[in-house]
């Protein structure tokens, strides 16, 4: 067994489709990871992908011929036989062009014809420029595919091949692997749980055009919501303003201020079995928001009276019946002692501490390095992980808390308000 491998894909057959993005070279690393996990991988490339990486590279590493041409493969009918052979079809990178073809049911090359014949789990790992990802056509196509049950991963943010910085980088190998595992072996260990999760920043008005807020992106809270949903939980996500897409199947309650977040969480608290407070709630708000825009006078800028916002978690902790309470401690120093202090002060079962100044951690980042502390004093250090993977680890730890699993039966039914996504 290769070092570090847990052979989770032993005996599983995967079609790895590679389409023509510069990120095609990263599919080589993904292929190696899938093989290390024990998978039998058959690679299919689009004509454009072969301009970026030679098929021979994939052929040598996968120890299988690489198919590229619908017509060259006509004898074996690969567009029919490969998806029948596979346990999962993974397209990484998936270009805007391929995503559009799948959404529309076009089949003018081997990969898209194969996708049209796929009935096993289909996972797309997109990579493209940020402007393309945000284009209404691409947005509509990925949403249509998600509605049909296709897993379309979110690209990562960061430097793009164009030189711009944006959302469009191929998701990390480990995120793709975890999505494959999720589809092949759906863990429904959170079935019966009702997760109430808060995410994102709050905005506290100074006047009608200005507000106080913070750098929270909401990524950690959304990842937790999605992970719990995929593991069978019912999920209500109360979120401050973010640029994120709400994952499917989640009861979404948008809020803006700390007060609105407090109201929404209080309204859903009795329904929940687990509360994860991942939001970065503003600690202070202007004591008196002006009803008209403040003029650009020196006095107005020199002084702003602030008052503390309610500590939502502390308040809910006093009202708890049987809920498991999880908080976050985003710190810039002495993470562990501060996390322990908050755990006790807020009456929590678990706290997730992280140093927001550490490389690759904190607000806006796609990764995070966290330390988990439970009320029995147990400490779990988790190395630098993509937030989606970290979310699963946090749920794993919550599941093992003595208070957690047995509580699901006690809580009440959800309130009717809110949008269903
Ligand atoms: O005390 P501090 O704000 O550092 O604690 C962080 C934890 O408390 C987070 O889980 C955060 O969501 C929650 N919190 C809250 N209400 C506030 C401030 C923070 O529930 N007003």
């Amino acid at each position: 067994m290769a070092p570090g491998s847990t052979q989770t894909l032993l005996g599983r057959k995967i079609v790895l489709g590679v389409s023509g993005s510069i990120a095609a070279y990263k599919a080589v690393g993904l292929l190696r990871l899938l093989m290390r996990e024990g998978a039998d991988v058959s690679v299919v490339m689009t004509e454009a992908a072969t301009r970026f990486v030679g098929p021979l590279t994939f052929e040598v590493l996968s120890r299988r011929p690489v198919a590229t041409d619908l017509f060259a493969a006509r004898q074996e009918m690969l567009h029919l036989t490969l998806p029948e052979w596979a346990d999962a079809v993974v397209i990484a990178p998936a270009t805007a062009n391929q995503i559009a073809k799948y959404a529309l049911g076009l089949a003018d090359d081997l990969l898209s014809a194969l996708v049209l014949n796929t009935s096993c789990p289909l996972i797309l790992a997109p990579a493209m420029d940020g402007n393309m990802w945000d284009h209404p056509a691409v947005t509509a196509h990925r949403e249509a595919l998600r509605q049909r049950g296709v897993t379309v991963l979110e690209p990562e943010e960061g430097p793009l091949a164009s030189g711009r910085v944006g959302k469009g980088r191929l998701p990390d190998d480990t995120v793709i692997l975890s999505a494959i595992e999720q589809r092949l072996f759906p863990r429904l260990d959170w079935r019966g749980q009702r997760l109430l999760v808060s995410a994102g920043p709050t905005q506290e008005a100074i006047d009608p055009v200005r507000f106080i807020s913070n750098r929270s992106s909401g990524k950690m809270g959304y990842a937790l919501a999605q992970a719990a949903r995929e593991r069978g939980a019912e999920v209500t996500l109360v979120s401050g303003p973010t640029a994120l897409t709400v994952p499917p199947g989640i009861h979404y309650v948008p809020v803006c201020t700390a007060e609105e977040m407090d109201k929404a969480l209080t309204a859903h608290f009795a329904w929940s079995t687990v509360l994860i407070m991942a939001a970065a709630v503003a600690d202070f708000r202007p004591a008196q928001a002006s009803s008209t825009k403040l003029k650009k006078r020196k006095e107005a800028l020199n002084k702003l009276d602030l008052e503390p916002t309610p500590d939502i978690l502390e308040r809910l902790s006093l009202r708890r019946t049987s809920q498991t309470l999880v908080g976050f401690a985003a710190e810039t120093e002495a993470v562990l002692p501060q996390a322990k202090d908050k755990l006790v002060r807020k009456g929590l079962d678990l706290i997730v501490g992280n140093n927001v100044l550490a490389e690759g951690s904190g607000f806006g980042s796609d990764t995070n390095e966290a330390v988990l502390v439970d009320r029995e004093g147990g400490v779990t250090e988790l190395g630098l992980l993509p937030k989606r993977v970290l979310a699963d680890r946090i749920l794993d730890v919550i599941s093992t808390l003595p208070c957690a699993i047995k509580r699901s039966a006690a809580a009440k039914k959800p309130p009717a308000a809110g949008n269903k996504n």
Side-chain angles (χ1 to χ4, degrees):
M1 195 189 289
S5 162
T6 44
Q7 297 273 288
T8 52
L9 299 179
L10 191 66
R12 301 291 161 158
K13 301 188 221 53
I14 292 177
V15 167
L16 172 60
V18 183
S19 60
S21 143
I22 177 64
Y25 77 92
K26 295 183 182 170
V28 177
L30 177 64
L31 168 65
R32 301 211 73 183
L33 177 65
L34 298 178
M35 304 235 352
R36 202 187 69 180
E37 288 304 321
D40 194 356
V41 186
S42 188
V43 177
V44 174
M45 301 177 78
T46 62
E47 207 274 320
T50 64
R51 308 261 186 131
F52 291 99
V53 188
L56 186 60
T57 307
F58 290 104
E59 235 161 62
V60 171
L61 292 172
S62 68
R63 295 181 217 111
R64 281 182 163 275
V66 170
T68 54
D69 184 349
L70 184 61
F71 302 104
R74 68 188 180 282
Q75 297 258 291
E76 300 106 303
M77 300 273 213
L78 287 180
H79 65 297
L80 303 179
T81 53
L82 272 177
E84 270 164 29
W85 167 84
D87 295 308
V89 172
V90 183
I91 317 289
T95 57
N97 181 48
Q98 286 292 320
I99 292 172
K101 288 196 210 186
Y102 310 153
L104 298 171
L106 302 181
D108 63 351
D109 62 8
L110 177 58
L111 194 53
S112 52
L114 178 158
V115 164
L116 206 51
N117 281 298
T118 294
S119 52
C120 62
L122 175 61
I123 296 132
L124 309 185
M128 63 194 72
D129 198 67
N131 288 338
M132 295 169 81
W133 177 253
D134 289 335
H135 192 283
V138 177
T139 306
H141 290 150
R142 67 171 177 265
E143 289 315 322
L145 288 166
R146 282 175 175 155
Q147 290 303 324
R148 275 183 236 155
V150 177
T151 298
V152 185
L153 298 173
E154 291 288 311
E156 285 179 8
E157 276 182 40
L160 303 168
S162 60
R164 283 191 280 264
V165 172
K167 187 167 182 177
R169 290 168 63 86
L170 185 72
D172 191 78
D173 286 354
T174 55
V175 174
I176 302 173
L177 174 63
S178 140
I180 298 169
E181 290 170 349
Q182 200 60 242
R183 292 295 305 266
L184 286 179
F185 325 106
R187 277 190 292 171
L188 295 174
D189 57 338
W190 272 62
R191 184 181 271 166
Q193 297 291 351
R194 293 186 285 278
L195 172 67
L196 179 57
V197 58
S198 70
T202 64
Q203 293 178 349
E204 311 300 330
I206 297 171
D207 68 15
V209 296
R210 304 183 181 93
F211 57 80
I212 297 178
S213 191
N214 56 65
R215 298 182 195 278
S216 170
S217 64
K219 285 178 186 169
M220 194 64 241
Y222 278 59
L224 283 159
Q226 186 179 12
R229 176 76 198 123
E230 286 174 5
R231 289 166 69 161
E234 288 177 62
V235 180
T236 295
L237 171 65
V238 176
S239 174
T242 74
L244 302 175
T245 313
V246 180
I250 283 170
H251 175 208
Y252 172 59
V253 185
V255 295
C256 196
T257 64
E259 197 177 329
E260 286 169 16
M261 185 167 277
D262 187 24
K263 278 206 182 102
L265 290 169
T266 305
H268 290 83
F269 189 57
W271 161 81
S272 69
T273 58
V274 179
L275 166 70
I276 306 183
M277 195 68 202
V281 185
D283 290 319
F284 298 99
R285 65 182 164 215
Q288 198 78 59
S290 169
S291 58
T292 52
K293 186 183 169 192
L294 295 176
K295 292 288 164 245
K296 203 158 66 180
R297 287 189 314 251
K298 277 245 162 62
E299 316 81 87
L301 296 175
N302 283 345
K303 192 164 174 292
L304 191 59
D305 281 328
L306 300 178
E307 63 179 18
T309 54
D311 192 307
I312 304 171
L313 194 49
E314 219 169 295
R315 271 165 51 158
L316 290 178
S317 168
L318 296 174
R319 301 172 58 142
R320 89 198 292 177
T321 46
S322 57
Q323 292 84 351
T324 298
L325 299 189
V326 181
F328 271 72
E331 306 295 343
T332 52
E333 58 196 347
V335 176
L336 198 55
Q338 302 218 52
K340 283 180 175 165
D341 176 63
K342 272 177 205 174
L343 175 92
V344 175
R345 187 157 38 85
K346 301 192 186 213
L348 309 180
D349 298 293
L350 185 77
I351 191 145
V352 183
N354 72 305
N355 186 338
V356 290
L357 294 183
E359 179 91 12
S361 276
F363 297 143
S365 161
D366 285 315
T367 53
N368 211 354
E369 189 172 347
V371 57
L372 276 51
V373 186
D374 65 42
R375 64 193 303 172
E376 272 81 40
V379 175
T380 312
E381 302 235 17
L382 298 172
L384 192 64
L385 294 170
K387 284 182 175 167
R388 183 60 186 77
V389 177
L390 179 60
D392 270 313
R393 298 282 165 80
I394 294 172
L395 297 186
D396 291 345
V397 173
I398 296 174
S399 307
T400 64
L401 294 174
C403 51
I405 296 303
K406 58 179 189 246
R407 288 181 168 156
S408 56
K412 298 172 198 149
K413 282 264 104 196
N419 319 326
K420 270 272 179 224
N421 269 74

